[in-house]
Amino acid sequence: MPGYHPSDFEKKWQAHWLNHKTFRAANPGQPGADRPKYYVLDMFPYPSGAGLHVGHPLGYIASDIVARYKRHMGYNVLHPMGFDSFGLPAEQYAIQTGQHPENTTRDNIARYTEQLQSLGFSYDWDREVRTSNADYYRWTQWIFLQLFNSWYDLDANRARSLKELTDAFGAGGSAAVRAAGDDADRAVFTAGQWQMFTEHQRLETVAPYRLAYQTETYVNWCPALGTVLSNDEVKDGVSERGGYPVERRLMAQWMLRITAFADRLLRGLDQLDWPDAVKEMQRNWIGRSEGAEVRFALEYRPTDALTVFTTRPDTLFGVSYLAVAPEFDGLDALCTDEYRDAVAQYVYAAKNRSERDRQADVKTISGQFTGAYATHPFTGARVPVWVADYVLAGYGTGVVMAVPAHDTRDYAFARHFELPIVPVIEGYDSALNEAYTEKSGRVFNSGFLDGLEVKHAITAAIAELEKTGQGAGRINFRLRDAIFGRQRYWGEPLPIYYAADGTARGIAEKDLPLTLPEIDEYKPTQDGNPPLGRATDWKYEKNGAHFPFELSTMPGWAGSSWYYLRYMDPSNPNRFVSEEAEKYWGEVDFYLGGAEHATGHLLYSRFWYLFLKDLGLVTGEEPFRKLLNQGMILGRSSIVYRVNVMWGLGLDSIDNSIARSLFISRDFKERLVKGGMESLEGKRIIGFLEHEQVRLETEEFSEQSVELIHAIDVSTDISEIKVDVSRVDNDVLDINGIRQWRDEFNNAEFLLEPDGRFLCGAEVEKMSKSKHNVVTPDDLVEKSGADALRCYEMFLGPLEQYKPWNTSGLSGVSTFLRRFWRLFHPEDGDFALTEEAATPAELKILHGTIKKVRDDVERLSFNTVVSALMIATNELSALNCHKRAVLAPLVIVLEPYAPHLAEELWAKLGHAPGTVSTAPWPAVEEKYLVADEVTYPLAVNGKVRSEMVFAATATAPEIEEVVRASDFLAKYAEGKAAKKIIVVPGRMVNVVV
RNA sequence: GCGGAUGUGGCGAAAUUGGUAGACGUGCCAGACUUAGGAUCUGGUGCCGUAAGGCGUGUGGGUUCGAGUCCCUCCAUCCGCACCA
């Protein structure tokens, strides 16, 4: 039977592609690798139990279009897919059900794979990676070991191996190196002392230099999940996943020293072709700020000092107090006896306020004087030291110098505690009741800084601090080292064991992978250990002895920080990626994914890449050259409105005692809201009750009604119930369908619009099961085909935008594909094309379309391509064009968007199956692109007076001639002869008289 | 508060360098054809107005012969960060 039926061939081609490995990317040495490479990458999904909804494929479709387009352009395209398969949801499910996360993960991946394949993506499935496979995470563990065995040399500004560090220690002691990290944690020793160190001492000495290290730190502890969360996994004081409360807790944690790379991570952004929003977020997250470190000697212990970080050393003469964070280390020692108790009390209260409370109410000003005084480095004045919870322990030194006149928070604090406010920059006005925070103005009241502009005062102040040894210029970063351990099961085990002397050591490379042990339950142990504490035999065997393994596992972002490298050489047993493959594929040319990974995954990946580069393991500059964020497709929830009414048949039969619920169509709801609840009593509401075929009215009878139902009371507010969107079409509720959906609707009454329909309200929000607004691709593919869905998702609008899903528009692209099909099947019969030569009109359509599609894909404007193809199809239909010369090239142009249809037609055109994807992009013949005619505005002395149409091929002299000969000059230039005629090609003619 | 983005018909949107605003698609209206279907085809559809005509790209202003597009002002919505010294 003829006609366009995608189900006839879509599955066929998908199977063909899979069986023939049509989209296999060639690695160096394989046939095809001589072509230029192009690497198109999707952010791989976490395979959740819910499967894909229509929002998920949006980015995959776009990247697939780019991949397919690049194949036509002659590239060797790497376009892989895999699964980020370690993660919390599978673990939570495992805790609840006892199911091994491996099983649920495997099932979910199977479902994802099936759904992805039904959409016709051109992935090279041979390269699939799964982060939870031991073959994969062995290399995640291996990279961790490299981090564990490296340190960061500030002089060379790169990561280096520990061997080089210990060599340096042996030659020059601890003074021989400058390393990233906190020197306060590190021992000072000479080369001679190093030589005498035992192995244990050496390991202890080296530990605080490592790029993967353990430390006691305040972490976000989530009791409900039994694990530590990173800052970006905590939103508003609750966990991003699950929404459980999160508290601050001091714990020993594995950390990665990402801060060592802060400056390079910041500077690298400049050369990336990424959305500004993402780059800006990363800059913000890294938070570089220039300023100075200033030492304030303590009055009673002049050998000790409080060091502050400030970006405003120019305001030093305006300091009226110092403030330290409640968590500040030497706080207790700082206090005078008189104030010790009060301070302790304050600190206790401050610490017990949860992070959320502290953030929620920044307005409340609190603090406590410590009794201590420091000495001002320039004036020698006494500066009181306070403790205040507006000072953050984690930023700078945990101590600030307060300049109330020029800082909003200091100002509020000083007003509250009646501390002095000393203006030192012109611009402060005490009458305004606010600080003057502009970074401009002239300095006064400030000794040697007087008269300087802020900018110069900053340099001068720093110079003075450095001269007197009381401080120095300093650059501070907001970025914190990344916590790298999770107290949970479903993640990569850290390849670490603890030797008899208690030191943490990496396991030998030959013992990788360290595979997850089987355990009986996935919860933390009774005594609060991570789930791995349940494993029996979780011990490292070395020389016949057994040592305990680390119990925490890696965070979710470990595996995703390097997966794009594994795709290059996915099954290499000897190396995480071979040198040749890494060198060949290089950087990812085009990376597509959600903006939610802006500061997590995308920053960690860059960090790992820079680290691997320092070790000489990768050869590019950055992992992802070009990045694009696809927007989210939102659901359109359908809402029905329910009121409780008392009602009966006819006036006499009202049963006052029985309130029944009634579902009312949207318009009645609006009337009720407008008129208030009384309107059901006071005003006529006419509508049909669905199954009784009578009118519901109030007070007044209607002549047409056979039986009357009186609503006499509305006892409750209108309640809104979200209903399954698959039972709603264009806001019209399928009442029979909804009756079967839920019991509460089964015997419900529905008040209909006069035309007999029941309308739902709508709300646009994230797709989620609980809102019943999820639309899955499966039914749509089944009904309209994958090609239609692909085209439609692109047609929806600009890729980056957030947009609501609306299934009804799908019919438009279905029609387009059917029409395209018909160009090849005249009269909707058999495949038949004529061999006639194309007319100029047809060639104009053809070449215009080839160019338009090419240009639009190049500039990543995916939506306008669909329109262009629709217009071409409609125009060729109107011309009744069924010519091979015109239509064959269009099949290639269509292929990235509708690959199944293209394959089908390509085969019918007589080509070998599966070859359309590599057919060269048709050449554009420019001569067919020009317009027939162009309208020129005609102006006299720059004032437009008229317009004239010229042939598009008309030259400037020809146009001048026509203008001169026309009555234009006589009419608008009052007959004056033209001094000069200026022709702007395609734009305008200006006559100067 | 800081940073980023976006405002165009009933709806999704287009207009790539300033040059006929609203292409294309939905939705709606009318018609054709049909053993009424969520099929196909044709025409119409920015707003006001019977019409002539007028008004129209968030607001107000500016540059220009000409502004959705460039400049300034304000407003609204969304996203990210947020006591970062």
Side-chain angles (χ1 to χ4, degrees), chain A residues 109-333:
Chain A
I109 288 178
R111 166 123 176 80
Y112 265 64
T113 307
E114 190 188 328
Q115 283 186 302
L116 289 170
Q117 283 174 356
S118 77
L119 287 164
F121 295 129
S122 63
Y123 294 125
D124 180 351
W125 283 105
D126 287 352
R127 292 175 185 259
E128 180 193 333
V129 302
R130 301 180 183 189
T131 56
S132 61
N133 273 7
D135 286 349
Y136 179 87
Y137 70 69
R138 122 183 232 159
W139 297 108
T140 312
Q141 291 170 329
W142 182 82
I143 294 172
F144 174 83
L145 284 178
Q146 309 310 305
L147 285 157
F148 182 69
N149 289 321
S150 299
W151 62 294
Y152 200 91
D153 183 347
L154 289 175
D155 291 318
N157 197 25
R158 67 178 187 88
R160 308 179 72 166
S161 76
L162 276 189
K163 174 77 170 62
E164 291 172 287
L165 179 69
T166 52
D167 287 351
F169 284 162
S174 58
V177 298
R178 290 201 313 126
D182 192 350
D183 282 328
D185 302 338
R186 294 168 181 162
V188 176
F189 53 89
T190 64
Q193 286 171 311
W194 173 261
Q195 315 278 3
M196 305 295 285
F197 280 176
T198 61
E199 196 204 354
H200 173 71
Q201 282 175 312
R202 286 184 177 188
L203 281 170
E204 295 265 273
T205 306
V206 151
Y209 286 84
R210 297 178 188 270
L211 293 185
Y213 63 100
Q214 263 184 313
T215 189
E216 286 258 311
T217 176
Y218 280 96
V219 295
N220 304 304
W221 171 254
C222 181
L225 295 172
T227 188
V228 163
L229 300 171
S230 70
N231 281 331
D232 46 300
E233 286 170 325
V234 182
K235 293 258 148 42
D236 302 322
V238 298
S239 65
E240 194 182 30
R241 198 170 281 284
Y244 303 107
V246 172
E247 59 191 47
R248 303 284 287 168
R249 197 191 258 197
L250 199 59
M251 286 180 83
Q253 283 297 321
W254 280 97
M255 311 282 287
L256 294 190
R257 205 179 297 284
I258 187 173
T259 50
F261 295 82
D263 204 41
R264 288 161 72 191
L265 287 170
L266 185 69
R267 279 185 290 115
L269 288 171
D270 296 337
Q271 40 156 339
L272 293 178
D273 186 3
W274 284 18
D276 288 337
V278 176
K279 288 208 260 191
E280 220 30 61
M281 270 189 250
Q282 291 211 349
R283 287 195 187 103
N284 218 298
W285 195 261
I286 296 167
R288 182 182 196 270
S289 56
E290 286 181 29
E293 229 170 44
V294 187
R295 286 162 53 85
F296 284 78
L298 288 169
E299 194 179 48
Y300 297 108
R301 283 187 284 139
T303 48
D304 253 348
L306 286 174
T307 304
V308 305
F309 173 74
T310 179
T311 55
R312 298 297 303 275
D314 54 312
T315 61
L316 253 163
F317 286 87
V319 170
S320 45
Y321 63 97
L322 299 186
V324 304
E327 294 90 349
F328 185 71
D329 258 347
L331 179 55
D332 195 55

Side-chain angles (χ1 to χ4, degrees), chain A residues 42-55:
Chain A
D42 291 301
M43 287 185 189
F44 65 165
Y46 173 82
S48 82
L52 294 173
H53 62 63
V54 288

Side-chain angles (χ1 to χ4, degrees), chain A residues 447-510:
Chain A
F448 69 95
L449 295 175
D450 278 354
L452 293 174
E453 255 300 311
V454 164
K455 211 172 81 184
H456 298 115
I458 291 176
T459 0
I462 292 175
E464 181 66 15
L465 287 168
E466 288 180 347
K467 202 172 85 190
T468 58
Q470 298 181 99
R474 194 188 136 100
I475 291 159
N476 200 42
F477 291 94
R478 192 150 66 192
L479 185 70
R480 303 266 64 88
D481 277 343
I483 297 168
F484 200 67
R486 294 298 135 91
Q487 286 62 48
R488 58 181 197 201
Y489 176 75
W490 191 231
E492 303 88 344
L494 286 164
I496 293 288
Y497 70 96
Y498 295 91
D501 63 6
T503 51
R505 306 186 185 201
I507 69 171
E509 274 186 32
K510 68 170 173 55

